[in-house]
Structures are given as structure tokens and as C-alpha cells.
Amino acid sequence: MVIDMWIFPAFLALIFWGVSMFLPKLASRTIPALHLMIYGAFFSFLSAMTLMAFSGFKIEFELEGALFAVTIGILGRLGFLMYLLAIQRAPMTHGGVVSSLYPVVAV
């Protein structure tokens, strides 16, 4: 049986994103959503720096792509903040289900 090369990374993304969306509910019991965002941004930055180190600190720059990347970062962080606020104020089954409908907008 031949498995396409995209399946394994797609399932890992599913697992990583699933866990990363459940853990904030546990963390939000002890610290505010904004603090979760700050910690998350800090460790995202460290992850990015680690990836850059492995790539030899070579970054391609193209204005249109860079603007898309900035927009993605801003909207992604704002979306995550709204998700954190939702799961702090409502059961995970409500906030998580509604926010998981994002493919309706993306597709």
C-alpha cells in the first residue's frame, strides 16, 4: 500500500493543533488570556529563531509574500486571542466548536 507523502505531516498537524487548542483551556484557569498570548509569542519567536539557525539564517524576501506573512501573523494572533477569550468564558465544547468552523471562511 502506497501512502501519499502529505498524509503523515497532515496527521501530525492535526495532533499538534488539537493539543495546542486544548491546553489553553487548562492554562486559562491560572493565568489571563493576554498572558497566554505573551508566553506563546515568546516561544513562537524562539521556535522561529531555531528554524532560522538550521537554515543558515537565510531568508528570502519578496514584498507581496512578506505582506501576506505579516497579515497572516496579525490575523492568526487576533484569532487565537478571541479563541482564548471564548474558552475562558464558555465551556470548551461551545468556544472550541464555534471557532473550529473557520474552514467555512477559508474555503
Side-chain angles (χ1 to χ4, degrees), residues 1 10-11 13 20 23 28 33 39 45 51 53 56 59-60 62 66 72 78 83 88 90 93 95 102 105-106:
M1 175 165 142
F11 275 111
S20 75
L23 291 178
S28 68
Y39 287 129
F45 176 76
L51 291 174
I59 297 179
E60 292 182 27
E62 194 277 319
I72 291 165
L78 286 173
Y83 170 78
Q88 273 187 332
T93 53
Y102 73 88
V105 176

Side-chain angles (χ1 to χ4, degrees), residues 21-22 24-26 28-29 82-100:
M21 292 298 157
F22 172 72
K25 180 63 176 180
L26 300 176
S28 68
R29 294 177 186 167
M82 295 302 111
Y83 170 78
L84 291 174
L85 293 173
I87 65 171
Q88 273 187 332
R89 298 172 181 174
M92 181 80 170
T93 53
H94 297 149
V97 169
V98 171
S99 65
S100 70

Side-chain angles (χ1 to χ4, degrees), residues 18-85:
V19 172
S20 75
M21 292 298 157
F22 172 72
L23 291 178
K25 180 63 176 180
L26 300 176
S28 68
R29 294 177 186 167
T30 58
I31 60 175
L34 189 56
H35 296 179
L36 285 170
M37 290 289 298
I38 292 167
Y39 287 129
F42 176 73
F43 286 104
S44 291
F45 176 76
L46 287 180
S47 299
M49 293 299 104
T50 302
L51 291 174
M52 281 182 56
F54 281 110
S55 71
F57 293 97
K58 296 176 187 169
I59 297 179
E60 292 182 27
F61 181 81
E62 194 277 319
L63 183 60
E64 184 179 5
L67 290 174
F68 276 123
V70 168
T71 304
I72 291 165
I74 291 169
L75 293 176
R77 290 284 102 192
L78 286 173
F80 189 60
L81 178 61
M82 295 302 111
Y83 170 78
L84 291 174
L85 293 173

